[in-house]
Amino acid sequence: MKKILFTIILATYSFAVTLQEAINQAPDGAKITLQAGEYVGNILINKPLTIDGIDKNAIIVGDGAGSVITINSSNVVLKNLTVKNSGNSVEKIDSGILAKNVNHITLDNNRVEDTLFGINLEQVNRSKITNNFVTSKDLPLGVRGDAIRLWYSHDNQVVSNTIYKSRDFVLWYSSGNIIEGNYGSHNRYSLHFMYAGRNTIRNNTFEYNSVGIFFMYSSGSIVQNNTVKNAIGPFGVGIGMKDTSNFTLLDNNLIYNSRGLYIDQSPYQPGTINVFERNNILYNSSGVQFQVSRERSIFNENILRGNIEAVVNDSPRNNLEKNEWSRNYWDSYEGFDRNGDGYGDIPYKHYVYADKLWLYNPNVKFFYGSVIMDLLNFLAKFIPFSEPELLAVDNKPLMEWKNAK
């Protein structure tokens, strides 16, 4: 393994020592600069300092047991490093980079690979995780670790990271975080929130994952300008939520997913409202799919175009009449705009007819989207053979979808 050079403010010293020995000898605030080569991992950082790999050609290699880098001090900076070869223990959460009970950590422009968990922050606040690339060990999807994991961690910035072939990017019991400009593909949940509220999620792109973004038992976040595409697995979801309240979703693009929006008992808290405005919900199997509806959601100025079914209800006796729809574009609207104000003269009403055969009967779902179901739906509109179910009423439907933004 390569010996190292480390730098203190105003002076430079060379040591024929290991990386861990250099860390131990360095004073607080030192900068350790690593030249290209491999360095022995499973290092412990217990003082404020900077480790800079310059161009990612400095590779810190773990011994295959435990975490490669453990940070036990605030004000640590790791940048331009390649980190690899953690242990395989899910119970111990073996990670590429582990920081615990510290603040003001900066992880910038690192490559984390061949690790069970990638970047794991436990009770870490006011830190920055930026421009990192994280991928997992070559394991089946469900037994990989999470690419980025925040646990009881608040007011952090997670910006411009790439997550590829990992499991989840997950936030547990974490609030006040900014999740911005990240890209994720071929993961399970590219972004998953559990009991995590008051976060800002914007300008992220997620594609070819089982689920794009999912919120569970959370409250009060803003979700804006995200693009989620091609979530097409058995539970493929663009953006989903369960028992989630006081959310605002603005200007998101949900394209080619099994379900564009998936809404399960959200809002959850009595008297709360979720707002969906100016979202493009395009070419999904289900545009907006409700599992259980308790409280009111507001849908304004969204584009629902090219979906096999614009609105789907999974549960009989749901409370969908509580929802408010206004100024949305519906590609199946058949009304006119005689006064030229850009909105239809009569309300848009979305019914399900023969679809009720498959909504509550999994055996019939095999035929969903087929010519047979299309023909049954067409005939049912003229000669209903079952009572149609009203799922949505928009009193002011938008006539031209290109005018929505």
Side-chain angles (χ1 to χ4, degrees), residues 210-215 226-232 235-241 249 252-263 276 279-290 299 303-305 307-312 368:
S210 298
V211 176
I213 308 174
F214 207 93
F215 303 92
N226 303 283
T227 296
V228 184
K229 301 188 294 184
N230 297 105
I232 55 176
F235 188 68
V237 171
I239 297 179
M241 51 184 60
L249 282 80
N252 300 286
N253 300 302
L254 307 174
I255 308 170
Y256 299 124
N257 305 292
S258 296
R259 302 160 186 85
L261 281 173
Y262 181 80
I263 301 172
F276 304 84
N279 301 288
N280 290 323
I281 306 171
L282 310 175
Y283 307 108
N284 307 281
S285 296
S286 302
V288 182
Q289 186 161 339
F290 293 94
F299 298 85
I303 305 299
L304 292 104
R305 184 170 186 263
N307 305 289
I308 295 178
E309 195 66 48
V311 181
V312 170
Y368 178 52

Side-chain angles (χ1 to χ4, degrees), residues 385-400:
F385 48 83
S386 64
E387 183 68 25
E389 183 178 355
L390 180 62
L391 302 185
V393 178
D394 190 329
N395 290 312
K396 198 174 183 180
L398 186 67
M399 294 297 296
E400 297 287 340

Side-chain angles (χ1 to χ4, degrees), residues 110 232 247 318 320 335 351 375 377:
N110 301 291
I232 55 176
F247 262 58
N318 224 333
L320 299 187
Y351 290 94
L375 179 59
N377 278 325

